[in-house]
Amino acid sequence: MEAWGAVIVAAGKGTRMGTIQSKQYLPLCGKPVLVHTLEKFEQIEEVAEVVLVVGEQDVGLCRSYVTDYKLTKVKAVVAGGAERQDSVYRGLQELDSRWVMIHDGVRPLVSREAVTRCCQAAYRHGAAVLAVPVKDTIKQVNDQGVITGTPDRQSLWSIQTPQAFQRAQIVDALERAAADGFLGTDDAMAVERIGVQVAVAHGEYTNIKITTPEDLPMAELWLSGQK
Ligand SMILES: Nc1ccn([C@@H]2O[C@H](COP(=O)(O)OP(=O)(O)OP(=O)(O)O)[C@@H](O)[C@H]2O)c(=O)n1
Ligand SMILES: C[C@](O)(CO)[C@H](O)COP(=O)(O)O
């Protein structure tokens, strides 16, 4: 397998978590959430180079993580942008690898096996994301709080990261999205809209994105089980 580059995005504000300290720096089993994610990528054989994207005010702190936690793959720590998409684009500028994956800094539970499945699916199909089938029934609800539809659950997947692409293709897609004023909530949306097929590779239900307060104790529980 070729060597991959990874962009870890961690420049968000964590508004939904509601804490003063941004969620990527909150302690999880004794270390910042983001450090767990970076340590995971140290163990992923496919990944040769990592770029970490953080808030401008946190660049110094995160550079010290590289030394303190002996993160050998992190080649650059750069400041992100106002939107996740901007942060991803900035990170991609620092990578040389032909194949790249983009991962949320707040998904510390991702497993090596799932990342490998994502890389393999990207090789086969050109681009791939980790995903799990939804378990609940999903409803569309209008702004009066009334159900307007029930999409067929068979075709619904909950999308995770990493998301894997050829670097040139995701860079092109993000530049076109910016030119068109298109803002996606994941990376795949930018390439889907220019006609590229994106495959799903089986993720894991435990690969949660730490988003709201109840996610942290769940992550603690699962992470202590992984060690
Ligand atoms: N401008 C941004 C916004 C988000 N992210 C990163 O993208 C990931 C997923 O985003 P999300 O969970 O939405 O994080 P926040 O934007 O921080 O959260 P919220 O929407 O609650 O403010 C996180 O690792 C976050 O730090 C980023 O790098 N740059
Ligand atoms: C990219 C992502 O993690 C896939 O689930 C998600 O879409 C990020 O969305 P958010 O709005 O930044 O939470």
Side-chain angles (χ1 to χ4, degrees), residues 16 23 84 104 107 158-161 163 185-187 209 211:
R16 287 170 286 179
K23 60 187 179 180
R84 184 182 177 284
D104 294 328
R107 287 190 191 267
S158 191
I159 300 302
Q160 305 180 340
T161 66
Q163 305 202 347
T185 53
D186 76 346
D187 312 300
K209 180 161 72 64
T211 305

Side-chain angles (χ1 to χ4, degrees), residues 139-210:
K139 302 279 187 190
Q140 282 165 328
V141 179
N142 68 15
D143 49 15
Q144 269 87 54
V146 174
I147 293 169
T148 55
T150 309
D152 178 9
R153 192 169 62 183
Q154 291 282 26
S155 65
L156 294 176
W157 292 66
S158 191
I159 300 302
Q160 305 180 340
T161 66
Q163 305 202 347
F165 310 93
Q166 293 199 24
R167 199 186 82 87
Q169 194 162 59
I170 181 73
V171 167
D172 175 45
L174 290 174
E175 285 174 353
R176 286 160 71 171
D180 297 343
F182 175 85
L183 207 54
T185 53
D186 76 346
D187 312 300
M189 284 173 77
V191 298
E192 288 162 43
R193 69 186 285 276
I194 59 168
V196 176
Q197 287 199 330
V198 182
V200 298
H202 267 271
E204 284 154 352
Y205 288 102
T206 49
N207 180 21
I208 57 167
K209 180 161 72 64
I210 293 176

